[in-house]
């Protein structure tokens, strides 16, 4: 984790308002859409984290115990998935080839376990809504020249960020910055 730098919080003007450009992605070109999402996740990661934490705090304000139990369950399932993926070659290949299915499997396993507990559903809503918000924004936000430059620095290793490490853990490091 040495050398990991949190990226700056992007201005509201750049993130959402007038200078931001949005367009519906071309769903027929999945590689290009995936590239747009990954690069926006890297560039706006501080903004996404801030929004997600705000929504989580809101859910936690109304359902604190359920949120904590749910967070514990989902964290344990995610750590178990990462451990299995790192130690089992077929799972590692599947994770690299199907990252969306892998994330969905983690959330589905969490949901099934949570449905037994009941409290985890609160946490899943608390993370599902922010995740949906982040993915929609990352899908429709067009990249700027500054965005492309920052992502190139991340991809060649001159800069390391938390989102870069997360994408690497999910098997998406080769696509970041392309």
């Amino acid at each position: 984790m040495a050398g990991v730098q949190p990226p700056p919080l992007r201005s509201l003007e750049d993130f959402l308002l007038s200078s931001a450009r949005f367009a519906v992605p071309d769903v027929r070109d999945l590689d290009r859409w995936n590239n747009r999402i990954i690069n926006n996740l890297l560039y706006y990661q501080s903004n996404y984290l801030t929004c997600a934490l705000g929504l989580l705090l809101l859910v936690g304000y109304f359902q604190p115990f359920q949120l904590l139990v749910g967070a514990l369950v989902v964290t344990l399932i995610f750590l178990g998935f990462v451990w299995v993926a790192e130690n089992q070659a077929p799972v590692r290949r599947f994770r690299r080839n199907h990252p969306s299915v892998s994330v969905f499997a983690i959330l589905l396993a969490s949901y099934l376990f949570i449905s037994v507990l009941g409290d985890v559903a609160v946490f899943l809503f608390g993370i599902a809504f922010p995740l949906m918000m982040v993915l929609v924004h990352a899908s429709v936000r067009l990249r700027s020249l500054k965005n492309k430059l920052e992502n190139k620095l991340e991809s060649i290793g001159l800069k390391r960020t938390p989102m870069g490490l997360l994408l690497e853990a999910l098997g998406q490091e080769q696509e970041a910055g392309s």
Side-chain angles (χ1 to χ4, degrees):
M1 293 289 283
V4 175
Q5 306 168 359
L9 194 62
R10 308 297 173 187
S11 71
L12 191 59
E13 183 78 16
D14 181 30
F15 186 59
L16 284 176
L17 300 178
S18 64
S19 74
R21 298 175 321 152
F22 296 94
V24 176
D26 182 8
V27 294
R28 292 170 291 173
D29 189 355
L30 293 179
D31 288 336
R32 188 169 181 190
W33 186 12
N34 188 43
N35 184 39
R36 181 192 289 186
I37 289 172
I38 288 172
N39 285 297
N40 281 330
L41 286 173
L42 287 169
Y43 187 70
Y44 294 111
Q45 61 188 288
S46 293
N47 295 67
Y48 293 145
L49 180 64
T50 302
C51 291
L53 285 177
L55 290 170
L56 257 176
L57 287 172
L58 187 64
V59 171
Y61 177 75
F62 292 108
Q63 301 285 334
F65 179 72
Q66 291 87 347
L67 184 72
L68 290 175
V69 170
L72 179 67
V73 169
V74 172
T75 301
L76 290 174
I77 290 174
F78 178 74
L79 291 174
F81 176 78
V82 169
W83 181 81
V84 167
E86 290 301 319
N87 294 311
Q88 302 291 326
V91 177
R92 186 173 37 248
R93 279 192 302 279
F94 182 82
R95 181 189 69 182
R96 286 193 190 278
N97 295 334
H98 307 288
S100 300
V101 175
S102 299
V103 170
F104 181 74
I106 291 169
L107 291 176
L108 182 64
S110 299
Y111 176 75
L112 293 175
F113 192 75
I114 289 171
S115 66
V116 173
L117 295 176
D119 295 338
V120 181
V122 171
F123 178 71
L124 282 182
F125 175 75
I127 63 167
F129 185 71
L131 278 177
M132 183 186 69
M133 178 200 65
V134 166
L135 289 175
V136 166
H137 184 274
S139 291
V140 299
R141 177 67 169 94
L142 296 175
R143 295 171 54 202
S144 65
L145 186 58
K146 187 175 180 185
N147 180 322
K148 292 177 183 178
L149 178 64
E150 289 284 328
N151 290 333
K152 193 52 78 176
L153 289 173
E154 170 85 20
S155 70
I156 61 176
L158 295 177
K159 257 178 126 175
R160 299 294 294 160
T161 62
M163 183 64 73
L165 294 175
L166 177 64
L167 290 172
E168 191 174 306
L170 291 172
Q172 294 298 301
E173 72 277 358
Q174 74 276 5
E175 300 192 28
S178 57

